[in-house]
Amino acid sequence: MPNESAKEQLIAKAQKQYIDFVDELKKHDKDYIIENAYKMLKMQDILSILEEGGLSEEKYALLLQAEYPLEQLYYEWLASGLNENYEELRIVLNKYLQRQEERSMEG
């Protein structure tokens, strides 16, 4: 998809990852699904934030470098120790991007 913007590519990649995750959940018993429901919800929130926009093309391109961007951002959020607030997910996203930008400047 060479004519797609980095945002469009990232959204498509993240949507596929989310759909694949949900499809995988459906293969398991209800206990497994319940155990992973929170992860599914947070991944959906992260996807919504990405779809809302507000990032530069360069930042979308940076996120595209992650093999599994939703999973990466989910674990970044878990490691942050922040609560469930939607805005805190944005904070985690921005901090992750800042670290990634610093790493790309070093290398």
Side-chain angles (χ1 to χ4, degrees):
M1 325 295 173
N3 293 334
E4 288 187 343
S5 68
K7 177 184 178 183
E8 292 168 329
Q9 290 178 51
L10 177 66
I11 301 281
K13 186 175 186 177
Q15 285 173 338
K16 181 182 181 330
Q17 183 185 354
Y18 180 76
I19 290 167
D20 290 349
F21 177 74
V22 172
D23 287 346
E24 182 62 29
L25 279 180
K26 291 176 183 176
K27 296 176 185 176
H28 294 276
D29 65 18
K30 65 180 178 188
D31 290 335
Y32 183 85
I33 293 170
I34 291 169
E35 288 171 14
N36 285 276
Y38 186 72
K39 181 177 181 180
M40 184 178 75
L41 177 65
K42 285 298 140 195
M43 288 174 76
Q44 191 175 37
D45 286 346
I46 293 165
L47 181 57
S48 293
I49 289 170
L50 296 175
E51 289 171 337
E52 287 172 7
L55 299 175
S56 66
E57 275 297 298
E58 293 79 19
K59 292 192 189 245
Y60 282 111
L62 201 56
L63 286 168
L64 263 174
Q65 294 176 10
E67 188 172 357
Y68 300 103
L70 284 182
E71 187 115 1
Q72 179 67 42
L73 292 170
Y74 171 75
Y75 286 113
E76 289 286 326
W77 177 78
L78 277 184
S80 75
L82 296 174
N83 294 325
E84 300 177 25
N85 185 310
Y86 192 79
E87 284 305 311
E88 289 177 341
L89 284 170
R90 289 182 187 282
I91 293 167
V92 170
L93 170 63
N94 288 325
K95 285 182 179 180
Y96 172 76
L97 285 168
Q98 184 177 4
R99 281 195 314 279
Q100 294 305 105
E101 285 174 330
E102 291 168 0
R103 286 183 187 139
S104 67
M105 287 183 200
E106 292 172 0

